[in-house]
Amino acid sequence: VLNEGDVAALEHLAEILIRDKLGAKHESGYYNQCFAKGFAALYGVPFATTFSSGSAALEAALFACDVGPHDEVIVDPFLKYAPLAAVRRRAVPVFADVLPETLVLSPEAVARAVTPRTKAVIVTALFGQPVTAAPYRTVLGGAPVRLVADCAQALLAERAGSLAGPDFDVATFSFQESKHLSTGEGGMLITPDRAIFERAVELKDFGWRPGRADAEVTEGWMYRMAEPLAAIGTARLRSANALVTRHREIAAAMTEVVADCEVLRVVGAFESGHACWTWAAEILNEAARAHLAVLFRGEDRLQVGYCRAGLNYERPLFGSYPASDPALATQIERATCSVAKDITPRLVHVRIDARRDLASHLSDMHRLRNALAGV
Ligand SMILES: Cc1ncc(COP(=O)(O)O)c(C=O)c1O
């Protein structure tokens, strides 16, 4: 069933096809501008710009923070996106451990990982956790280190009435298919800082900057979003609050099904501002973990052991990284990250998809509950 946003998207798409203006070179795309302006307004920031993916936006964030060869970027070890963004800037990703309650980068671990070569810290808002910049700024104590929030899984996450993202130097989002708001593929970068914004636009458009001659262009890739995707984003932005609210309602109902399962601890506890991109819990008992891991082997929606992709069973921490980059391989070898290593095989996470009905989510949770009853 098409919602209000999708009907608007169809109208926009028809109009784009009639005008035959599908590209967005040199910030010329009408819908790219609409999507970015709408997103900036939603987040109360002066600057936003679209990207072809969340990964491209994250790389542009590092580029705009002047991260380059041999600089160090502190990241958590769960997901590959932040370390790979550093690798693409030819920088060194340095892994620091996470907090056991939320699985978000630990400020104390960041403090231990900082060196004179640290240029940026990427805080990933895992599963939709509302992250804030203040604890990291405190431990950095005025060091010239940029704070980047990867909010790909955390659309409209908030803490104490403040959205997660705008208090960082720069924050990025993804509109890939599984995310709250999908344009198929796509990304967004927001920042309060004009210089960061202008640099990010340069990276996405072959180094283009208004008024600058081609001969002066230094660096840039092709990370632009096409107009039809920006039109879908513009239209769906109207439903952003409703989409996130739906994720929250589904997550609350899912938690209720396993509320009396003492071997599960819900990660992040889904406080009201959590964006609930996915439902996740720590399995506290080894027999239960082993049982669930066998039972849910190869499943897509209900997985044990994060982060594993569809068919791989119990992928270890760092299991989804390409081994090809020597700097990355060395850092993986050096990483201690005992909290993340310990919890990875004991994480069960269950997909939330606002397009599916509540009953199918609850049936996943009943399977989980029944499986635990049998241990
Ligand atoms: C936390 C996180 N960061 C970055 C990305 C990359 O986004 P994209 O797939 O749009 O490149 C994703 C997922 O796709 C993600 O979950």
Side-chain angles (χ1 to χ4, degrees), residues 52-56 58 79 81-82 124-126 150-153 173-176 178-179 185-187 277 306:
S52 53
S53 70
S55 305
L58 199 51
L79 297 173
Y81 310 103
T124 298
L126 191 71
D150 177 357
C151 295
Q153 302 181 355
F173 298 81
S174 163
F175 309 119
Q176 173 267 341
S178 71
K179 301 302 186 298
E185 306 291 351
W277 175 65
Y306 199 75

Side-chain angles (χ1 to χ4, degrees), residues 149-163:
D150 177 357
C151 295
Q153 302 181 355
L155 186 69
L156 295 179
E158 59 168 79
R159 172 156 297 154
S162 296
L163 288 174

